[in-house]
Amino acid sequence: MRLHGIRRRGVRLALAGVLAGVLLPVTAAQAGAATSHTYNVWQWNVAGDTIHEGSTTDGLIDQAAASIVNRSADFASFNELCRGQYDALVTALRAKDWPTDTQNFARFEPSREAGNSSVCKGEAFGNALFSKRALGTADRITLPDDGTAEKRNLLCAPLTDGSGTRFCTTHITTQGTYNVAQLEAVRAKLEAYHAAGETVLIAGDFNAQPSYGRLNSFYAPSLDVPNNGNNTGAYRELDDNDSGNCLGYGEWTAEGTPGSEPPCGGNAKLDLIFVRESTLAGSYSGDSLGISTSCTGVTACSDHRITIGTVTVG
C-alpha cells in the first residue's frame, strides 16, 4: 500500500510540474520569438507612363516579376503604374506561383482615373501593392490636394493571417508645401494604425531626401548622425544604418539630384521603406539595385532604382 501511495504521489508531483510549466509567465524573449515576423520589402517607381507609355510587352513586367520572386519579397509596391501593367503583374506573379492566395494578393489605387488618352493610353494610373500572403480590405486615403490633375493617395492593406501587419505605399507630390502636408497626412495615418495595435510597413516614393528637415518628424531621435539629425519622429528607414553607404541617408534611388545636394554627393534617395522603431524585434537592412536596361525601346526600365529591405518586427 505504501508503495502505491508513493507512486500516486509521484504522479501528482509530475503533473504539478507540467502544469507549473504551462502556467509560468512567458518571458519577453520567448514572447518575441513567438510573435516576431521577418519581412522582405520591395519597392519600385516604374515610370509606367512617362517611360513605358503603358506598355506591358517591353520587358518591364518580366523584369519586375522576376525581381520580386528572386528577392523573396513578402511585399512589393509600385508607383506610377498603369492599370494594364498592374493586371499584367497579377498574371505574371500568379504564373510564378508567388502568392499563397492567387485571388487576394494585389491592390491598385488610381491617382489619375481612366479616360485621358495622354496618360497610360487612356488607362488609370497610380499606386499598387502586392503581398505574398493574403490581404484584407484596403484603405484608400486621398492626400491633401496639390492642385494638379494627379490626386495623390495612400494605399494600405492588412494581412489576414492574424499577425496584425499592414503594408502601405504612397507617392508624394513634388509641389512645395503640399509635399509637407501630404507627408504629415501619411504620418498621421501610420500613427493611427499603430494606436490601433497594428504593425505597419510603408514603402514608396516620398519625393523627399532623408536629410531634409521635412522628414525629421518621421525619423526617430535615435538616428542622430551628421547626414541625418534633429529627428523627432518614431520611425527608422531600412537603409539608414549602412555605414558603408552614407550612414543615416542610404544609397541613392533616383537619377539626377532634385532639390538639395545629397549629403554624400551623387544622386538622390527618394524611395524609402519605413517601420516604426517601437515595433522592431531584430535587425533591419536596406539596399537599392541597379536600374535594368533590359526593357526594349527605352534607354532604361525606369529612372528609379528598385529599393529593397529586410526587417524583423513584433
Side-chain angles (χ1 to χ4, degrees):
M1 293 295 293
R2 185 179 179 186
L3 180 60
H4 292 165
I6 291 172
R7 285 175 177 169
R8 284 196 296 270
R9 185 169 60 193
V11 170
R12 287 197 299 270
L13 288 172
L15 286 172
V18 170
L19 289 172
V22 172
L23 297 175
L24 280 174
V26 178
T27 66
Q30 289 169 329
T35 62
S36 64
H37 303 275
T38 299
Y39 298 112
N40 294 326
V41 184
W42 186 103
Q43 148 70 25
W44 199 13
N45 181 331
V46 294
D49 176 55
T50 56
I51 289 180
H52 299 276
E53 297 181 341
S55 175
T56 60
T57 59
D58 66 357
L60 173 65
I61 304 305
D62 293 339
Q63 289 292 316
S67 182
I68 289 170
V69 173
N70 291 341
R71 294 288 170 175
S72 299
D74 295 290
F75 298 112
S77 54
F78 289 82
N79 307 131
E80 298 192 22
L81 191 70
C82 299
R83 176 66 199 219
Q85 294 164 341
Y86 166 79
D87 292 337
L89 280 163
V90 168
T91 299
L93 289 168
R94 282 176 179 158
K96 291 181 177 293
D97 294 323
W98 180 69
T100 58
D101 183 341
T102 59
Q103 302 304 312
N104 191 26
F105 72 101
R107 301 289 186 269
F108 177 83
E109 182 63 17
S111 52
R112 295 197 66 166
E113 298 289 348
N116 186 335
S117 60
S118 66
V119 177
C120 292
K121 296 182 179 178
E123 296 178 338
F125 167 88
N127 298 317
L129 57 81
F130 297 82
S131 170
K132 188 172 182 64
R133 299 169 182 82
L135 292 172
T137 303
D139 286 345
R140 305 163 188 274
I141 298 107
T142 300
L143 299 179
D145 195 341
D146 64 0
T148 68
E150 186 171 357
K151 305 309 175 185
R152 307 283 178 153
N153 61 69
L154 171 66
L155 176 63
C156 299
L159 294 182
T160 61
D161 61 4
S163 64
T165 303
R166 182 180 291 266
F167 182 53
C168 300
T169 188
T170 192
H171 184 195
I172 303 297
T173 184
T174 60
Q175 303 296 315
T177 56
Y178 293 104
N179 179 283
V180 177
Q182 290 181 6
L183 287 171
E184 286 305 297
V186 167
R187 189 179 65 83
K189 188 60 180 177
L190 298 181
E191 287 298 281
Y193 287 136
H194 171 70
E198 296 189 51
T199 297
V200 184
L201 306 172
I202 181 170
D205 179 353
F206 285 73
N207 271 314
Q209 296 184 49
S211 53
Y212 283 8
R214 70 185 72 164
L215 285 179
N216 286 355
S217 61
F218 273 79
Y219 284 96
S222 59
L223 182 63
D224 185 14
V225 295
N227 300 323
N228 193 336
N230 303 312
N231 296 307
T232 60
Y235 296 82
R236 297 298 296 257
E237 201 277 319
L238 298 192
D239 197 29
D240 70 19
N241 62 355
D242 184 351
S243 60
N245 286 288
C246 203
L247 180 63
Y249 182 91
E251 291 185 87
W252 71 271
T253 67
E255 291 182 337
T257 54
S260 302
E261 181 76 13
C264 298
N267 296 329
K269 180 177 178 66
L270 303 176
D271 303 89
L272 310 171
I273 305 171
F274 280 111
V275 62
R276 203 174 198 278
E277 185 177 51
S278 63
T279 66
L280 289 171
S283 63
Y284 67 90
S285 63
D287 198 4
S288 65
L289 310 178
I291 300 172
S292 173
T293 58
S294 297
C295 295
T296 59
V298 295
T299 302
C301 292
S302 180
D303 55 352
H304 285 245
R305 286 179 158 188
I306 294 169
T307 303
I308 59 173
T310 299
V311 61
T312 299
V313 293

